[in-house]
């Protein structure tokens, strides 16, 4: 099994970082190589929610069905594959201060196929490491952009309030 870890530092409070990464509609914006990520059931977040994922890593296109196995608001989201590529993914969230947060990301995966699968897995490690670095940078960038949008929306709503 191959494991990749990285930490992304975000210029946004913890709750904003969690909110952005908890929304499945954002996955293809930050996850390098993720081509498609859609709900595969009635739930679209939280424990028991499931997703169909298609990702491109190097020369390979990988498909999986993923289930949310842990979900603790502003603390952790963990996924495990239930079909396709054998993988588990964890996001651990922490506040740095009132305006900054970190996300520690860990993914473990194993390709099917015995010895041949392990050989392909080994050949994909450099692509996975690059994808992880790009994903960390994307998370930092996209969360900051999302936070700016949230702040701008709040300013607009405040400006629209009638004077008392």
């Amino acid at each position: 099994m191959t494991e990749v870890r990285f930490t992304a530092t975000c210029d946004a409070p913890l709750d904003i970082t969690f909110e952005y990464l908890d929304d499945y509609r954002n996955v293809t914006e930050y996850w390098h190589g993720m081509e498609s990520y859609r709900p595969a059931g009635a739930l679209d977040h939280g424990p028991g929610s499931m997703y169909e994922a298609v990702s491109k890593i190097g020369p390979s296109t990988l498909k999986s069905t993923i289930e949310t196995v842990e979900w603790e608001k502003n603390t952790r989201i963990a996924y495990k594959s239930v079909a396709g590529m054998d993988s588990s993914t964890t996001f651990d969230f922490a506040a740095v201060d009132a305006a900054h947060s970190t996300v520690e990301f860990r993914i473990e995966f194993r390709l099917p196929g015995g010895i041949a699968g392990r050989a392909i897995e080994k050949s994909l490690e450099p692509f996975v490491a690059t994808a992880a670095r790009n994903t960390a940078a994307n998370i930092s960038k996209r969360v900051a952009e999302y936070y700016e949008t949230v702040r701008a929306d709040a300013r607009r709503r405040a400006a629209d309030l009638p004077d008392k």
Side-chain angles (χ1 to χ4, degrees):
M1 187 162 271
T2 298
E3 179 182 293
V4 176
R5 293 175 178 258
F6 67 80
T7 300
T9 302
C10 301
D11 291 332
L14 175 62
D15 62 326
I16 297 294
T17 299
F18 185 89
E19 181 179 295
Y20 179 81
L21 293 175
D22 185 42
D23 188 337
Y24 77 91
R25 295 169 296 191
N26 298 326
V27 173
T28 57
E29 291 181 6
Y30 67 80
W31 195 309
H32 183 83
M34 186 67 67
E35 294 182 343
S36 172
Y37 196 86
R38 303 185 187 110
L43 300 174
D44 66 4
H45 80 280
S49 57
M50 297 184 65
Y51 306 92
E52 295 293 331
V54 177
S55 58
K56 181 104 169 133
I57 300 175
S60 300
T61 298
L62 307 170
K63 296 179 181 182
S64 6
T65 302
I66 305 198
E67 179 180 10
T68 306
V69 294
E70 289 182 61
W71 188 95
E72 186 177 344
K73 188 171 184 173
N74 296 335
T75 303
R76 173 179 264 216
I77 304 172
Y79 306 97
K80 176 102 178 91
S81 64
V82 294
M85 181 179 74
D86 181 15
S87 67
S88 62
T89 306
T90 307
F91 292 92
D92 287 306
F93 300 82
V96 174
D97 56 36
H100 301 89
S101 54
T102 60
V103 180
E104 188 175 314
F105 170 88
R106 180 178 59 83
I107 184 166
E108 296 177 318
F109 70 94
R110 181 187 326 259
L111 297 177
I115 293 170
R118 284 193 293 277
I120 294 169
E121 190 176 303
K122 260 313 201 204
S123 72
L124 291 179
E125 282 181 11
F127 296 106
V128 172
T130 298
R133 281 192 303 277
N134 291 339
T135 298
N138 290 344
I139 287 173
S140 296
K141 178 183 177 196
R142 297 295 188 172
V143 167
E145 292 170 351
Y146 176 69
Y147 183 42
E148 283 306 312
T149 301
V150 168
R151 290 171 55 184
D153 289 347
R155 285 190 299 269
R156 271 193 296 282
R157 281 192 307 275
D160 289 342
L161 292 175
D163 292 332
K164 292 185 178 185

